[in-house]
Amino acid sequence: MRKSLLYMSIVLFISITSCLSIQNTVIDVKPFEKPMKGKNYKILGEAKGQSSSFSLLWFIPVTPRHTRKEAIEDAISEKGGDNLIEVRVWRERQIWLLGRVDVLYVKGKVIRYID
């Protein structure tokens, strides 16, 4: 009896906490994110930034909405640069039984301007 209750509890827990669907959508591809301040710059390397939000029962916001600006700043600060070039932006939406997670990803090359 106890074993069957334990097994049923495990199955219920896994079914409640499992992801039902994941969708990826390309949003944008741009040559640069912020206006270029000059033509002289050094490429610091490729970086990835993200911003995410969670909605309980798919429509009740629990965290602040994800923003492109936050994802861009996350990527630029990873390498300590000034701007992001060759930018790719996409969104991942995870549908869970208890809610929805939206993650905005940004990837590109971080540059630092040379005076």
Side-chain angles (χ1 to χ4, degrees):
M1 177 72 173
R2 283 188 154 204
K3 278 189 177 183
S4 63
L5 183 60
L6 176 64
Y7 293 141
M8 287 175 43
S9 298
I10 290 172
V11 169
L12 180 64
F13 177 76
I14 290 172
S15 66
I16 288 175
T17 59
S18 62
C19 185
L20 303 174
S21 169
I22 296 178
Q23 304 163 349
N24 285 305
T25 307
V26 175
I27 295 175
D28 201 4
V29 177
K30 295 171 71 170
F32 51 85
E33 186 56 39
K34 300 177 182 179
M36 297 293 284
K37 293 182 180 177
K39 293 184 179 183
N40 297 325
Y41 57 83
K42 177 182 175 183
I43 297 176
L44 302 177
E46 193 162 88
K48 185 176 176 181
Q50 68 180 31
S51 177
S52 63
S53 61
F54 173 70
S55 298
L56 184 64
L57 300 177
W58 312 287
F59 65 92
I60 302 169
V62 175
T63 62
R65 182 158 170 75
H66 63 277
T67 64
R68 183 182 184 125
K69 182 179 178 181
E70 182 182 0
I72 293 292
E73 292 303 322
D74 186 35
I76 292 172
S77 67
E78 182 179 314
K79 299 285 185 185
D82 299 317
N83 201 350
L84 199 62
I85 62 172
E86 298 178 21
V87 183
R88 297 171 307 279
V89 182
W90 70 98
R91 182 186 71 203
E92 179 181 276
R93 177 169 281 171
Q94 301 172 4
I95 307 296
W96 296 77
L97 196 59
L98 296 176
R100 181 182 74 213
V101 178
D102 287 306
V103 185
L104 185 72
Y105 292 101
V106 173
K107 189 173 187 178
K109 292 180 181 174
V110 179
I111 63 169
R112 179 178 294 135
Y113 294 109
I114 301 171
D115 294 331

